[in-house]
Amino acid sequence: MDRFLLICFGDTPHRTDVEAMLESLPNIRQAHFAVVDEHSRRASMWTRDPIGLLPSGRLALDFEEAPPLERLQQTAGKLSASLYRCESRMPLAIELSPNEPYAGTVQLCCFRCPADLSDEALVDHWYGEHKVIAIDTQNTEGYRQNRVIQYWGHQLDGIVEEYFPIECADSVTDFFADGDNPEAMMANIEKLTASSEKILDLNESSVIHLTEIRLI
C-alpha cells in the first residue's frame, strides 16, 4: 500500500488542527506527525536549505485501503502542505505506539535527483547499496525510504526519514558510526557522501530535524 506524506514548507502546523482533519479521513492505519519545535532545534547544526524549501512539519499516513485522494488533497490544502504519494520501505524499523513521542529527532531529507538519473538507477542504488551504507555509517535507530510516485505541490523525487537518538542532535561523534575513532568516522562520512551523490543533487536537497509523535 502506498504511503502519503503531507509536508508543510511554511507555518508550522498545530497538532489540534491535524487531529481534527484526520477525523474526516477513513481507514487510517497509522498517522505520524512531526514538527520543528524547541526539542528538534537542538539538532539545528544539521539543517541544510540550499533551495529555500525547508519543511516545518510532516504528516505521514498509512491506510488500510486506498484513501479518497480528493479528501487527502483537501486536507493538504487546509494545512498549506504539499502532498506526496510514495512507494515506502523501512529497512530499519522503529515502532511507536499511538500517542507515543519519539525521544530523539527525525531527520527529514527532501531531495531531487540529478537530471540524468533514471528511475531504475535510483531504485537500484537507493534500495540496494546505499541503504546498507546509510545504516552502517550512522548511529540511526530507524531508516525509511519514500520514493515519490505522484505529488501535488513542490516537486520532490525522494524523502528520507531517519530516526536518531537525542545525543546525536548536537554531536558529530554520536551521529556517525565509529565516532570514537576520528579516521574511521571521517571514512564513514566520505563513504556516505559519495553514495548519496549517486542518487541526489546536494544542491537540490533540504535537511531538517523534527520532533515526532504517533497520533494513530
Side-chain angles (χ1 to χ4, degrees):
M1 184 66 63
D2 294 335
R3 190 168 194 248
F4 291 85
L5 300 182
L6 289 78
I7 299 182
C8 298
F9 294 100
D11 294 336
T12 302
H14 294 285
R15 176 178 173 176
T16 52
D17 294 334
V18 170
E19 289 178 321
M21 292 175 191
L22 292 181
E23 294 179 2
S24 67
L25 295 172
N27 303 313
I28 298 175
R29 181 167 54 84
Q30 290 190 25
H32 293 78
F33 179 55
V35 294
V36 174
D37 63 6
E38 184 177 353
H39 176 80
S40 70
R41 288 190 186 97
R42 179 173 166 181
S44 60
M45 65 179 286
W46 303 108
T47 300
R48 292 186 69 258
D49 187 22
I51 56 175
L53 197 62
L54 196 63
S56 59
R58 183 273 278 135
L59 176 62
L61 299 174
D62 298 295
F63 292 87
E64 298 288 355
E65 56 186 63
L69 191 53
E70 184 176 344
R71 227 180 278 182
L72 263 178
Q73 290 172 307
Q74 291 171 353
T75 300
K78 291 176 182 177
L79 291 174
S80 299
S82 294
L83 174 63
Y84 302 91
R85 181 170 71 91
C86 301
E87 175 187 72
S88 184
R89 299 185 177 199
M90 196 169 194
L92 182 59
I94 187 165
E95 295 294 336
L96 298 176
S97 301
N99 294 310
E100 180 185 358
Y102 176 59
T105 60
V106 180
Q107 178 177 276
L108 194 70
C109 175
C110 301
F111 70 86
R112 296 168 182 162
C113 295
D116 59 351
L117 185 73
S118 67
D119 288 343
E120 293 76 13
L122 170 64
V123 167
D124 183 61
H125 185 67
W126 192 16
Y127 292 174
E129 181 182 359
H130 182 76
K131 169 191 67 179
V132 177
I133 291 173
I135 293 172
D136 287 350
T137 59
Q138 303 174 103
N139 289 319
T140 176
E141 294 183 326
Y143 181 79
R144 183 186 286 273
Q145 303 157 299
N146 301 288
R147 184 170 69 91
V148 175
I149 301 170
Q150 216 174 352
Y151 67 91
W152 298 264
H154 294 289
Q155 183 257 324
L156 294 173
D157 296 313
I159 302 162
V160 184
E161 298 162 288
E162 295 179 269
Y163 292 73
F164 287 95
I166 192 58
E167 57 266 24
C168 297
D170 49 12
S171 170
V172 174
T173 55
D174 286 322
F175 191 93
F176 289 102
D178 298 314
D180 57 345
N181 182 330
E183 287 188 9
M185 185 185 72
M186 287 306 301
N188 283 331
I189 294 172
E190 291 171 3
K191 187 176 183 180
L192 177 63
T193 301
S195 180
S196 299
E197 289 178 330
K198 293 181 180 180
I199 58 172
L200 60 85
D201 185 339
L202 292 175
N203 294 319
E204 294 281 334
S205 306
S206 63
V207 176
I208 188 74
H209 280 241
L210 307 172
T211 300
E212 175 165 295
I213 185 170
R214 179 178 171 184
L215 300 179
I216 297 174

